[in-house]
Amino acid sequence: MRFIKTNVTIKFAEKNQKGFLYYLKKNGIFYLMLLPGVIYFLVFKIIPMFGIIIAFFDYKPYFGIKSILSTEFVGLKWFKKFFDSIYAERLILNTLKISVLKLFWGFPAPIILALLLNEINNKWFKKSVQTITYIPHFLSWVIVTGLLRQLITTDGGFINEIIKFFGGTPILFLGSTTYFKSLLVISDIWKSVGWGSIVYLAAVSNIDQELYEAAKVDGAGILRRMWNITLPNLYPIISIMLIMRIGDLMDGNFEQTQLLLTSQVYSVGDIIDTYVYREGIINLNYSYSMAVSLFKSIIGLILVFFSNKSAKLMGQEGIW
Amino acid sequence: MKRIISIILAVCLFTAISGCSQNDKSNDDKNALTTSGTSENTGTEPITVVIFNNSGGGTGAGSEAGSTQEAYKAVQEVIFQETGVLVEVIKPASTDADDKLAAMLSSGEQIDLWWGDWSHYAEDGIIQPLNEVLEVHGKDVLDIWEQWDAWGRVTDSKGTIWGIPRYSQFASYFTHVRTDWLKQLNMEVPETFEEFEEYLYAVKELDPAGNGQTIPFVFRGGTVASSVERALLGGFTQFGASKWVDENGNVMPKELQEGYTDFIAKLAQWYQDGIINSENFSWDPTTVREYIASGRVAAASTYYTDISQFTSVMQENFPEADFVHYETGMIGPNGELCQTLNAGSSKQLLISSKCTDERLAALMKVINWCFASWENYQICNSGIEGVHWNYDTSVVDLETAKKDHVVTSIPNSGYYADFCISIGLPYESQGMIYNTDGTRNKHSLYLSEYLDDFDTCKETVDASITYDSNALSENIPTLTDIETTINEEMVKFVTGQRDLSTWDDFITTLYDIGLNDWIAEYTRQYNELTR
């Protein structure tokens, strides 16, 4: 065996010198701009997570935050109290039913609105419709429910006056177990459809226009273009929005429900949040409120994991 | 250049965030707190006491923004001159008073006095017993509430006094009818339930408001127990809207009284016949008041302030209209009085356990001064004579006005009872206010003439008792479920969603979900507290 001496120098791969500090120095100003947001999340979202432990203590608010660990540890007492209630099943079912209805009817609504708005050629009209549909988002639920009550009251409300005009009997919407869930869903859609369509409109604006032109040349009509071009390009964002929406399935929109709830419709309208408000917040039993909220959050987290996994298995985008 | 702009933007962002997190001292000037929580008398500085005024007083029209700083300081100065104690008041909005109180107590801010249910706080050591300090510094307080037999509600079974009364029993749920519509119908003020029912049907038939707009009968919505029970149940049952004690000595819920189903059946019939508006159960007190003020209501079984404070609003558009109630009490089908006395809320004046002895003595000195005389009460409640109110000599002479406490407020004077510690019937019932036409102001009339008209009502069986809410919660695990079930099912019975023939099933359900625990615990506490 002969060895040939050469002057070849083998260069090993250089260690990457560009660490975090390098980027901090280079882009320091952006990190500085990011800092308030990070501090905000740290102070108001991460650190308060410590407060979750009051769900396992008999916490009294009067002694301050420092007293959390010195109050009596009660384990799963508050969870047991909730599930021992004869209304626990009803509350969970009501919450889920209302959320699923809102998901079923309310989730496609902004997508459909975005699709329709995308087809409008008249810019002025398009902007006007967008503005009008955005406005309800900025109204508080107090105002929206007040308006709703005026519309549906049997005492001269617009809807019932129309019913009477056509010979019908006025309907007690707020006291009827038949209509209450529909009221919640319809008012929720009315309030959120405009604002919710923004995300989809933004996604639609990123679609290559040449695709539409090519489709037009091929003879595709409006609906065909929507179905074959617009919608498929929206799938990733729809997938992400759906995952986030499923995570909120156990949240029944407390404010809206509490403002519309009457004793006549408790059987269909009383949800976990309204029950916890009565039982926990009003009676200053924060531990109990936290326990039920924790239960809801855990269910929400499981649902988010599940739906994220499902989305990925179906070839769509997930949140992570 | 871009970098400089970025730096400037970042600095502006930081400044904005830090600026927003600062307390606005100028806005809080009126309610400045001594945040050290240990403001002791150093010999040069006066002792400062802080009151969280969630008493519910001073909530008339125009009070939403609270007293002006000038008015606040003026009354504060008078109290300081009289007692040597600087009193600071925090007056929250009524909607979030409890939340704010809890937040302030938990954050360690100095709150020396507030209104609340002593049983919530005593066990945890948040408030302190008052026996000794009352004996030494609170003689006037003791005397005045003794006359109203109110100390029982603030005393536990061991004789410890935990608070100063805010309420005593009083008559507050009258049944009112419209005088102008009575006249149209040639009817007298109903003194029996049958006469009242006759009036309701007659006025529905007449429809004096026109176009079907007449509302024959209103009550505070939500539940049957909210007001109509207190106003009318006594005419159907022996004990009215009160827990009762059966022959075995057990405390029982009012729903188990004989005659209760007759009462529910009557309401159901009224609902069916349109006497009760189909939406009444969804009306909160504000909505009820709006309807009363609109002039469309023929009769009302509500809390007296709905009538006493809103009749004048109605009369702006309907000058001839007025509401009256029975003179001697309405008699029900069982031959007994319909109305049940209001046992009053469980809210009392409570003093923080963090109050040192010196601050406690100063605080009690202030409280006692407030309760010492009507004149002192008037300063706390209405402000300074000549600045915020005057003796009303338009109807009586000055001497009589001073003797009978005939007063009139000065419009827009800017004071709204911030310092009213001595709130309650003892002094509220002593004032008189006249309208410009020489007639008695309705609210003043109720305070001085009707609220202590015990002859028109049945007594509440356990009026002098404040049940320990913590013990109730511990020993009756399904307490809320029982209350929810009762409230929900009563509404269903009245509105026809559930037939009265299933009443026995309803009672069985109550027992299944823990009514026996309810009876046992209430009986235990009742026996202990009445020993």
Side-chain angles (χ1 to χ4, degrees), chain A residues 26 29 35-36 60-64 77 85-87 90 149 153-155 172 262-264 266 275 279 284 286, chain B residues 6-7 14 17 102 105-106 121 124 126 222 271 278-279 281-282 291 296 474 480-481 485 488 491 495 497 513:
Chain A
K26 188 179 174 199
I29 207 69
L35 197 56
K60 300 277 192 270
Y62 316 108
F63 299 117
K77 173 184 170 182
S85 166
I86 59 168
Y87 293 109
R90 182 176 88 174
R149 282 174 183 272
T153 178
T154 53
D155 186 25
L172 181 61
T262 64
S263 46
Q264 289 166 274
Y266 268 9
Y275 176 82
E279 258 308 280
L284 300 178
Y286 293 165
Chain B
S6 303
I7 292 170
F14 261 121
I17 289 171
L105 287 173
S106 61
Y121 302 94
D124 296 323
I126 297 161
Y271 187 89
S278 57
E279 291 184 340
F281 283 106
S282 66
Y291 278 117
R296 294 165 55 191
E474 276 298 318
T480 313
D481 287 349
T485 304
E488 225 176 288
V491 171
T495 58
Q497 287 176 283
I513 63 176

Short mmCIF file of all heavy atoms in Angstrom, two decimals, chain A residues 26 29 35-36 60-64 77 85-87 90 149 153-155 172 262-264 266 275 279 284 286, chain B residues 6-7 14 17 102 105-106 121 124 126 222 271 278-279 281-282 291 296 474 480-481 485 488 491 495 497 513:
data_model
loop_
_atom_site.label_atom_id
_atom_site.label_comp_id
_atom_site.label_asym_id
_atom_site.label_seq_id
_atom_site.Cartn_x
_atom_site.Cartn_y
_atom_site.Cartn_z
N LYS A 26 -28.31 41.84 16.22
CA LYS A 26 -28.62 42.27 14.86
C LYS A 26 -30.03 42.84 14.75
O LYS A 26 -30.27 43.82 14.05
CB LYS A 26 -28.48 41.06 13.93
CG LYS A 26 -28.58 41.40 12.47
CD LYS A 26 -28.41 40.16 11.59
CE LYS A 26 -28.67 40.59 10.15
NZ LYS A 26 -28.98 39.47 9.29
N ILE A 29 -33.90 45.72 17.84
CA ILE A 29 -35.04 46.63 17.86
C ILE A 29 -36.35 45.87 17.74
O ILE A 29 -37.37 46.23 18.34
CB ILE A 29 -34.89 47.68 16.74
CG1 ILE A 29 -35.62 48.97 17.13
CG2 ILE A 29 -35.36 47.18 15.39
CD1 ILE A 29 -34.98 49.68 18.23
N LEU A 35 -41.11 42.81 23.08
CA LEU A 35 -41.07 42.65 24.55
C LEU A 35 -42.37 43.00 25.26
O LEU A 35 -42.82 42.24 26.13
CB LEU A 35 -39.92 43.51 25.10
CG LEU A 35 -39.45 43.18 26.53
CD1 LEU A 35 -39.05 41.72 26.65
CD2 LEU A 35 -38.27 44.08 26.91
N PRO A 36 -43.03 44.11 24.94
CA PRO A 36 -44.29 44.42 25.65
C PRO A 36 -45.31 43.30 25.53
O PRO A 36 -45.97 42.94 26.49
CB PRO A 36 -44.79 45.70 24.98
CG PRO A 36 -43.58 46.31 24.38
CD PRO A 36 -42.69 45.18 23.98
N LYS A 60 -60.43 31.57 50.11
CA LYS A 60 -61.29 32.72 50.39
C LYS A 60 -60.57 33.95 49.85
O LYS A 60 -59.41 34.16 50.17
CB LYS A 60 -61.50 32.89 51.91
CG LYS A 60 -62.15 31.70 52.56
CD LYS A 60 -63.66 31.77 52.40
CE LYS A 60 -64.35 30.75 53.28
NZ LYS A 60 -64.56 29.47 52.67
N PRO A 61 -61.24 34.79 49.08
CA PRO A 61 -60.54 35.89 48.43
C PRO A 61 -60.05 36.96 49.40
O PRO A 61 -59.18 37.74 49.06
CB PRO A 61 -61.60 36.48 47.49
CG PRO A 61 -62.91 36.06 48.06
CD PRO A 61 -62.67 34.74 48.72
N TYR A 62 -60.59 36.97 50.61
CA TYR A 62 -60.31 38.09 51.49
C TYR A 62 -58.90 38.12 52.03
O TYR A 62 -58.42 39.14 52.49
CB TYR A 62 -61.29 38.09 52.67
CG TYR A 62 -62.70 37.83 52.22
CD1 TYR A 62 -63.31 36.63 52.49
CD2 TYR A 62 -63.39 38.78 51.48
CE1 TYR A 62 -64.59 36.37 52.05
CE2 TYR A 62 -64.66 38.53 51.04
CZ TYR A 62 -65.26 37.32 51.32
OH TYR A 62 -66.51 37.07 50.88
N PHE A 63 -58.25 36.97 51.98
CA PHE A 63 -56.91 36.92 52.57
C PHE A 63 -55.82 37.16 51.55
O PHE A 63 -54.64 37.12 51.88
CB PHE A 63 -56.68 35.57 53.26
CG PHE A 63 -57.63 35.31 54.38
CD1 PHE A 63 -58.53 34.27 54.33
CD2 PHE A 63 -57.65 36.15 55.48
CE1 PHE A 63 -59.43 34.04 55.37
CE2 PHE A 63 -58.54 35.93 56.52
CZ PHE A 63 -59.43 34.87 56.46
N GLY A 64 -56.20 37.42 50.32
CA GLY A 64 -55.21 37.77 49.32
C GLY A 64 -54.60 36.56 48.65
O GLY A 64 -54.81 35.41 49.03
N LYS A 77 -62.86 18.19 45.93
CA LYS A 77 -64.16 18.49 46.55
C LYS A 77 -65.06 19.29 45.60
O LYS A 77 -66.24 18.99 45.43
CB LYS A 77 -63.93 19.27 47.84
CG LYS A 77 -65.20 19.79 48.49
CD LYS A 77 -64.88 20.62 49.70
CE LYS A 77 -66.12 21.35 50.21
NZ LYS A 77 -65.86 22.21 51.36
N SER A 85 -74.21 17.59 41.53
CA SER A 85 -75.41 18.38 41.30
C SER A 85 -76.30 17.64 40.31
O SER A 85 -75.83 17.07 39.33
CB SER A 85 -75.03 19.75 40.75
OG SER A 85 -76.18 20.39 40.22
N ILE A 86 -77.59 17.67 40.57
CA ILE A 86 -78.51 16.98 39.67
C ILE A 86 -78.57 17.69 38.32
O ILE A 86 -79.10 17.14 37.35
CB ILE A 86 -79.93 16.89 40.26
CG1 ILE A 86 -80.49 18.29 40.54
CG2 ILE A 86 -79.94 16.03 41.51
CD1 ILE A 86 -81.97 18.29 40.84
N TYR A 87 -78.05 18.89 38.28
CA TYR A 87 -78.12 19.65 37.03
C TYR A 87 -76.84 19.56 36.21
O TYR A 87 -76.76 20.14 35.14
CB TYR A 87 -78.45 21.12 37.33
CG TYR A 87 -79.84 21.30 37.88
CD1 TYR A 87 -80.05 21.64 39.21
CD2 TYR A 87 -80.96 21.10 37.07
CE1 TYR A 87 -81.33 21.78 39.70
CE2 TYR A 87 -82.23 21.24 37.57
CZ TYR A 87 -82.42 21.58 38.89
OH TYR A 87 -83.69 21.71 39.37
N ARG A 90 -77.39 18.21 32.76
CA ARG A 90 -78.14 19.17 31.95
C ARG A 90 -77.26 20.32 31.51
O ARG A 90 -77.31 20.76 30.35
CB ARG A 90 -79.34 19.69 32.75
CG ARG A 90 -80.21 20.66 31.98
CD ARG A 90 -81.42 21.07 32.77
NE ARG A 90 -81.16 22.21 33.60
CZ ARG A 90 -82.11 22.85 34.30
NH1 ARG A 90 -83.35 22.41 34.25
NH2 ARG A 90 -81.82 23.89 35.04
N ARG A 149 -84.44 41.96 22.37
CA ARG A 149 -85.66 41.94 23.20
C ARG A 149 -86.73 42.85 22.59
O ARG A 149 -87.91 42.52 22.58
CB ARG A 149 -85.35 42.39 24.62
CG ARG A 149 -84.69 41.33 25.48
CD ARG A 149 -84.29 41.93 26.82
NE ARG A 149 -83.60 40.95 27.63
CZ ARG A 149 -84.19 40.10 28.46
NH1 ARG A 149 -85.49 40.12 28.59
NH2 ARG A 149 -83.49 39.23 29.16
N THR A 153 -90.24 40.98 21.52
CA THR A 153 -91.22 41.04 22.59
C THR A 153 -92.63 40.86 22.06
O THR A 153 -92.94 41.27 20.93
CB THR A 153 -91.09 42.36 23.39
OG1 THR A 153 -92.11 42.39 24.40
CG2 THR A 153 -91.28 43.56 22.50
N THR A 154 -93.49 40.27 22.86
CA THR A 154 -94.89 40.13 22.46
C THR A 154 -95.63 41.46 22.59
O THR A 154 -96.73 41.63 22.09
CB THR A 154 -95.62 39.09 23.34
OG1 THR A 154 -95.42 39.46 24.72
CG2 THR A 154 -95.08 37.68 23.12
N ASP A 155 -95.01 42.39 23.27
CA ASP A 155 -95.61 43.69 23.52
C ASP A 155 -95.17 44.69 22.46
O ASP A 155 -94.42 45.63 22.72
CB ASP A 155 -95.20 44.16 24.93
CG ASP A 155 -95.89 45.44 25.33
OD1 ASP A 155 -96.98 45.72 24.80
OD2 ASP A 155 -95.32 46.19 26.16
N LEU A 172 -93.94 33.83 22.38
CA LEU A 172 -93.12 34.24 23.52
C LEU A 172 -91.73 33.64 23.34
O LEU A 172 -91.40 32.60 23.89
CB LEU A 172 -93.77 33.74 24.82
CG LEU A 172 -93.07 34.09 26.13
CD1 LEU A 172 -93.00 35.59 26.32
CD2 LEU A 172 -93.80 33.43 27.30
N THR A 262 -83.94 33.41 31.01
CA THR A 262 -85.03 33.65 31.96
C THR A 262 -85.32 32.32 32.65
O THR A 262 -84.95 31.26 32.16
CB THR A 262 -86.30 34.14 31.26
OG1 THR A 262 -86.77 33.09 30.39
CG2 THR A 262 -86.04 35.39 30.46
N SER A 263 -86.03 32.40 33.77
CA SER A 263 -86.29 31.18 34.53
C SER A 263 -87.15 30.20 33.73
O SER A 263 -87.17 29.01 34.00
CB SER A 263 -86.96 31.52 35.86
OG SER A 263 -87.99 32.45 35.66
N GLN A 264 -87.86 30.70 32.72
CA GLN A 264 -88.72 29.82 31.93
C GLN A 264 -87.94 28.91 30.99
O GLN A 264 -88.46 27.92 30.51
CB GLN A 264 -89.72 30.66 31.11
CG GLN A 264 -90.78 31.31 31.97
CD GLN A 264 -91.54 32.40 31.25
OE1 GLN A 264 -91.10 33.55 31.21
NE2 GLN A 264 -92.65 32.07 30.66
N TYR A 266 -84.64 27.80 31.64
CA TYR A 266 -83.46 27.21 32.28
C TYR A 266 -83.18 25.82 31.73
O TYR A 266 -82.03 25.43 31.56
CB TYR A 266 -83.69 27.10 33.79
CG TYR A 266 -83.20 28.29 34.58
CD1 TYR A 266 -82.78 29.45 33.97
CD2 TYR A 266 -83.17 28.26 35.98
CE1 TYR A 266 -82.35 30.54 34.69
CE2 TYR A 266 -82.74 29.34 36.72
CZ TYR A 266 -82.34 30.48 36.07
OH TYR A 266 -81.91 31.56 36.81
N TYR A 275 -74.42 28.83 35.38
CA TYR A 275 -74.54 28.14 36.67
C TYR A 275 -73.38 28.53 37.59
O TYR A 275 -73.58 28.84 38.76
CB TYR A 275 -74.55 26.62 36.43
CG TYR A 275 -74.57 25.81 37.69
CD1 TYR A 275 -75.76 25.57 38.37
CD2 TYR A 275 -73.39 25.25 38.20
CE1 TYR A 275 -75.77 24.81 39.53
CE2 TYR A 275 -73.40 24.49 39.35
CZ TYR A 275 -74.59 24.27 40.02
OH TYR A 275 -74.60 23.53 41.16
N GLU A 279 -73.53 30.26 41.19
CA GLU A 279 -73.03 29.49 42.33
C GLU A 279 -71.70 29.98 42.84
O GLU A 279 -71.46 30.06 44.03
CB GLU A 279 -72.84 28.03 41.90
CG GLU A 279 -73.92 27.10 42.35
CD GLU A 279 -74.16 27.22 43.83
OE1 GLU A 279 -73.41 26.65 44.64
OE2 GLU A 279 -75.10 27.94 44.21
N LEU A 284 -69.17 34.38 45.85
CA LEU A 284 -67.73 34.56 46.08
C LEU A 284 -67.03 33.24 46.36
O LEU A 284 -66.05 33.19 47.11
CB LEU A 284 -67.51 35.55 47.24
CG LEU A 284 -68.09 36.95 47.02
CD1 LEU A 284 -67.85 37.83 48.22
CD2 LEU A 284 -67.49 37.59 45.79
N TYR A 286 -64.83 31.34 44.73
CA TYR A 286 -63.96 31.34 43.58
C TYR A 286 -63.34 29.97 43.32
O TYR A 286 -63.06 29.62 42.17
CB TYR A 286 -62.85 32.39 43.75
CG TYR A 286 -63.34 33.82 43.74
CD1 TYR A 286 -62.53 34.85 44.20
CD2 TYR A 286 -64.61 34.15 43.30
CE1 TYR A 286 -62.97 36.17 44.20
CE2 TYR A 286 -65.06 35.45 43.30
CZ TYR A 286 -64.23 36.45 43.75
OH TYR A 286 -64.68 37.75 43.75
N SER B 6 -37.88 53.02 14.38
CA SER B 6 -38.22 51.81 15.13
C SER B 6 -37.96 52.02 16.61
O SER B 6 -38.75 51.62 17.46
CB SER B 6 -37.41 50.62 14.64
OG SER B 6 -37.61 50.43 13.27
N ILE B 7 -36.82 52.66 16.91
CA ILE B 7 -36.48 52.91 18.32
C ILE B 7 -37.52 53.82 18.95
O ILE B 7 -38.00 53.58 20.07
CB ILE B 7 -35.06 53.53 18.46
CG1 ILE B 7 -34.00 52.50 18.06
CG2 ILE B 7 -34.82 54.01 19.89
CD1 ILE B 7 -32.61 53.07 17.95
N PHE B 14 -43.52 51.42 25.08
CA PHE B 14 -43.19 51.20 26.49
C PHE B 14 -43.84 52.26 27.37
O PHE B 14 -44.41 51.96 28.41
CB PHE B 14 -41.67 51.28 26.69
CG PHE B 14 -41.03 49.92 26.75
CD1 PHE B 14 -40.04 49.58 25.85
CD2 PHE B 14 -41.41 48.99 27.71
CE1 PHE B 14 -39.46 48.33 25.88
CE2 PHE B 14 -40.83 47.73 27.74
CZ PHE B 14 -39.84 47.41 26.83
N ILE B 17 -47.60 51.80 27.68
CA ILE B 17 -47.98 50.68 28.55
C ILE B 17 -47.73 51.03 30.00
O ILE B 17 -48.57 50.77 30.87
CB ILE B 17 -47.22 49.41 28.15
CG1 ILE B 17 -47.76 48.89 26.81
CG2 ILE B 17 -47.36 48.32 29.21
CD1 ILE B 17 -46.96 47.78 26.21
N ALA B 102 -64.66 42.26 47.30
CA ALA B 102 -63.82 41.07 47.45
C ALA B 102 -62.40 41.34 46.94
O ALA B 102 -61.41 40.95 47.56
CB ALA B 102 -64.43 39.90 46.69
N LEU B 105 -60.60 43.67 49.46
CA LEU B 105 -60.24 42.98 50.70
C LEU B 105 -59.07 42.03 50.45
O LEU B 105 -58.16 41.92 51.27
CB LEU B 105 -61.45 42.19 51.24
CG LEU B 105 -62.56 43.03 51.87
CD1 LEU B 105 -63.76 42.16 52.22
CD2 LEU B 105 -62.08 43.75 53.12
N SER B 106 -59.10 41.35 49.31
CA SER B 106 -58.04 40.37 49.05
C SER B 106 -56.72 41.05 48.70
O SER B 106 -55.66 40.47 48.88
CB SER B 106 -58.45 39.41 47.94
OG SER B 106 -58.67 40.11 46.74
N TYR B 121 -68.45 36.11 56.85
CA TYR B 121 -67.11 36.59 57.19
C TYR B 121 -66.63 36.17 58.58
O TYR B 121 -65.42 36.06 58.81
CB TYR B 121 -67.08 38.13 57.15
CG TYR B 121 -67.47 38.74 55.83
CD1 TYR B 121 -68.78 39.14 55.58
CD2 TYR B 121 -66.53 38.93 54.83
CE1 TYR B 121 -69.13 39.71 54.36
CE2 TYR B 121 -66.88 39.51 53.62
CZ TYR B 121 -68.18 39.89 53.40
OH TYR B 121 -68.52 40.46 52.20
N ASP B 124 -64.29 33.04 59.20
CA ASP B 124 -62.93 33.16 58.66
C ASP B 124 -62.14 34.27 59.34
O ASP B 124 -61.02 34.57 58.92
CB ASP B 124 -63.00 33.42 57.15
CG ASP B 124 -63.62 32.25 56.42
OD1 ASP B 124 -63.36 31.11 56.80
OD2 ASP B 124 -64.39 32.49 55.46
N ILE B 126 -62.63 37.50 59.32
CA ILE B 126 -62.46 38.70 58.50
C ILE B 126 -63.08 39.91 59.19
O ILE B 126 -62.66 41.04 58.97
CB ILE B 126 -63.09 38.48 57.11
CG1 ILE B 126 -62.34 37.35 56.42
CG2 ILE B 126 -63.03 39.73 56.26
CD1 ILE B 126 -63.11 36.73 55.29
N GLY B 222 -88.55 36.95 37.27
CA GLY B 222 -87.52 36.02 37.71
C GLY B 222 -88.15 34.77 38.30
O GLY B 222 -88.16 33.71 37.70
N TYR B 271 -102.51 33.80 34.68
CA TYR B 271 -101.59 33.77 33.54
C TYR B 271 -102.33 33.32 32.27
O TYR B 271 -102.20 33.89 31.20
CB TYR B 271 -100.43 32.80 33.84
CG TYR B 271 -99.33 32.81 32.80
CD1 TYR B 271 -98.26 33.69 32.90
CD2 TYR B 271 -99.36 31.94 31.71
CE1 TYR B 271 -97.25 33.71 31.95
CE2 TYR B 271 -98.35 31.95 30.75
CZ TYR B 271 -97.31 32.83 30.88
OH TYR B 271 -96.31 32.85 29.93
N SER B 278 -97.55 37.58 29.66
CA SER B 278 -96.80 36.35 29.37
C SER B 278 -95.29 36.53 29.55
O SER B 278 -94.57 35.56 29.75
CB SER B 278 -97.09 35.88 27.94
OG SER B 278 -96.78 36.92 27.03
N GLU B 279 -94.82 37.79 29.49
CA GLU B 279 -93.37 38.00 29.63
C GLU B 279 -92.96 38.46 31.01
O GLU B 279 -91.80 38.76 31.25
CB GLU B 279 -92.92 39.05 28.61
CG GLU B 279 -93.00 38.54 27.18
CD GLU B 279 -92.46 39.54 26.18
OE1 GLU B 279 -92.40 40.74 26.51
OE2 GLU B 279 -92.12 39.14 25.07
N PHE B 281 -92.29 37.06 33.76
CA PHE B 281 -91.20 36.35 34.44
C PHE B 281 -89.82 36.73 33.89
O PHE B 281 -88.81 36.44 34.50
CB PHE B 281 -91.39 34.84 34.36
CG PHE B 281 -92.44 34.35 35.33
CD1 PHE B 281 -93.69 33.95 34.87
CD2 PHE B 281 -92.19 34.31 36.69
CE1 PHE B 281 -94.66 33.51 35.76
CE2 PHE B 281 -93.16 33.88 37.59
CZ PHE B 281 -94.40 33.48 37.13
N SER B 282 -89.80 37.37 32.72
CA SER B 282 -88.51 37.79 32.18
C SER B 282 -88.21 39.25 32.50
O SER B 282 -87.17 39.77 32.10
CB SER B 282 -88.48 37.58 30.66
OG SER B 282 -89.40 38.45 30.05
N TYR B 291 -92.49 49.94 33.04
CA TYR B 291 -93.91 49.74 32.74
C TYR B 291 -94.79 50.55 33.69
O TYR B 291 -95.80 51.12 33.27
CB TYR B 291 -94.27 48.25 32.82
CG TYR B 291 -93.92 47.48 31.57
CD1 TYR B 291 -92.99 46.46 31.57
CD2 TYR B 291 -94.54 47.80 30.35
CE1 TYR B 291 -92.68 45.77 30.40
CE2 TYR B 291 -94.23 47.12 29.19
CZ TYR B 291 -93.29 46.10 29.23
OH TYR B 291 -92.98 45.42 28.07
N ARG B 296 -99.26 52.17 32.02
CA ARG B 296 -100.08 51.10 31.46
C ARG B 296 -100.49 50.05 32.50
O ARG B 296 -101.26 49.16 32.22
CB ARG B 296 -99.31 50.39 30.35
CG ARG B 296 -99.04 51.27 29.13
CD ARG B 296 -98.00 50.66 28.22
NE ARG B 296 -98.39 49.31 27.83
CZ ARG B 296 -97.58 48.46 27.22
NH1 ARG B 296 -96.35 48.82 26.92
NH2 ARG B 296 -98.00 47.26 26.88
N GLU B 474 -72.39 23.72 53.74
CA GLU B 474 -71.66 22.48 54.09
C GLU B 474 -72.62 21.33 54.34
O GLU B 474 -72.39 20.20 53.90
CB GLU B 474 -70.86 22.71 55.39
CG GLU B 474 -69.52 23.35 55.21
CD GLU B 474 -68.56 22.52 54.38
OE1 GLU B 474 -68.50 21.29 54.56
OE2 GLU B 474 -67.89 23.13 53.53
N THR B 480 -78.32 24.60 46.54
CA THR B 480 -78.59 25.37 45.32
C THR B 480 -79.51 24.60 44.38
O THR B 480 -80.37 25.19 43.74
CB THR B 480 -77.30 25.69 44.58
OG1 THR B 480 -76.36 26.19 45.51
CG2 THR B 480 -77.52 26.70 43.49
N ASP B 481 -79.31 23.29 44.32
CA ASP B 481 -80.16 22.48 43.45
C ASP B 481 -81.62 22.56 43.90
O ASP B 481 -82.53 22.65 43.07
CB ASP B 481 -79.71 21.02 43.46
CG ASP B 481 -78.41 20.83 42.70
OD1 ASP B 481 -77.98 21.78 42.01
OD2 ASP B 481 -77.82 19.74 42.81
N THR B 485 -84.51 24.13 41.65
CA THR B 485 -85.66 23.30 41.29
C THR B 485 -86.96 23.99 41.66
O THR B 485 -87.90 24.05 40.86
CB THR B 485 -85.58 21.93 42.00
OG1 THR B 485 -84.35 21.30 41.69
CG2 THR B 485 -86.72 21.03 41.59
N GLU B 488 -87.55 27.08 39.38
CA GLU B 488 -87.86 26.70 38.00
C GLU B 488 -89.26 26.08 37.90
O GLU B 488 -90.04 26.43 37.01
CB GLU B 488 -86.83 25.65 37.56
CG GLU B 488 -86.25 25.89 36.21
CD GLU B 488 -85.18 24.88 35.88
OE1 GLU B 488 -84.08 24.97 36.47
OE2 GLU B 488 -85.44 24.01 35.03
N VAL B 491 -92.33 28.45 38.28
CA VAL B 491 -92.62 29.21 37.05
C VAL B 491 -93.34 28.30 36.05
O VAL B 491 -94.29 28.73 35.39
CB VAL B 491 -91.31 29.77 36.45
CG1 VAL B 491 -91.56 30.35 35.08
CG2 VAL B 491 -90.71 30.82 37.36
N THR B 495 -96.98 29.11 34.49
CA THR B 495 -97.12 29.36 33.05
C THR B 495 -97.78 28.21 32.32
O THR B 495 -98.02 28.30 31.12
CB THR B 495 -95.75 29.62 32.41
OG1 THR B 495 -94.90 28.49 32.65
CG2 THR B 495 -95.09 30.87 32.97
N GLN B 497 -96.56 25.24 31.82
CA GLN B 497 -95.64 24.26 31.21
C GLN B 497 -95.68 22.94 31.98
O GLN B 497 -95.30 21.90 31.46
CB GLN B 497 -94.20 24.80 31.23
CG GLN B 497 -93.96 25.91 30.23
CD GLN B 497 -92.54 26.46 30.36
OE1 GLN B 497 -92.23 27.23 31.27
NE2 GLN B 497 -91.67 26.08 29.46
N ILE B 513 -83.82 14.95 46.13
CA ILE B 513 -82.57 15.68 45.93
C ILE B 513 -82.04 16.30 47.23
O ILE B 513 -81.08 17.05 47.21
CB ILE B 513 -82.70 16.79 44.84
CG1 ILE B 513 -83.73 17.85 45.25
CG2 ILE B 513 -83.03 16.18 43.51
CD1 ILE B 513 -83.81 19.00 44.25
#
